Amino acid sequence: MAAPKARALGPEEKDECMKIFDIFDRNAENIAPVSDTMDMLTKLGQTYTKRETEAIMKEARGPKGDKKNLGPEEWLTLCSKWVRQDDEEEILRAFKVFDANGDGVIDFDEFKFIMQKVGEEPLTDAEVEEAMKEADEDGNGVIDIPEFMDLIKKSKNALKEA
């Protein structure tokens, strides 16, 4: 397994990583048992074998680190290397969920279902149709993967600006 390069975590990523760390810091001693690392990584959307997890832990701890416990700085070091660096995989998985019939596109009925599940109030067909037209960049009546990715990225940017 090739180790990803470390990168700086953003404030939201640090917060997410530390929330997970805090779950496993059962006694509020600012340490989490190494034995819980696989569970911690799973909560970040990662899955590794026991051997891979041990290699990750060894790298995060360093040569002089505690072999039984992991501190917050070590956990953040680990996160900087192993947290998913790209949302595209996650967006693709979401697309596959929304593409209920598996035909590679999201049609009006599938889009309507999505919009009614994520919204606070039910949308009318006209409102769903308008949103669909906005997302359907090529005007072919369906949303394909690139259009869906653009829609999600635009939504995330709009939320950041709000």
Side-chain angles (χ1 to χ4, degrees), residues 62-107:
K64 297 180 182 178
D66 182 344
K67 293 190 183 336
K68 293 185 180 183
N69 296 298
L70 186 68
E73 290 305 312
E74 294 164 322
W75 175 244
L76 287 174
T77 298
L78 187 143
C79 284
S80 73
K81 294 182 179 199
W82 300 96
V83 152
R84 188 178 295 119
Q85 295 186 26
D86 191 357
D87 288 339
E88 288 188 16
E89 241 181 76
E90 195 172 322
I91 294 171
L92 187 57
R93 278 197 298 273
F95 180 87
K96 289 178 181 179
V97 170
F98 298 140
D99 177 18
N101 64 5
D103 64 356
V105 294
I106 299 173
D107 63 27

Side-chain angles (χ1 to χ4, degrees), residues 16 20 24 35-49 53 56 75 78 82 84 93:
E16 175 93 9
I20 293 168
F24 291 95
S35 59
D36 290 339
T37 303
M38 287 176 75
D39 289 336
M40 293 166 78
L41 291 171
T42 299
K43 289 197 180 298
L44 288 171
Q46 306 295 327
T47 53
Y48 299 102
T49 65
T53 302
I56 293 166
W75 175 244
L78 187 143
W82 300 96
R84 188 178 295 119
R93 278 197 298 273

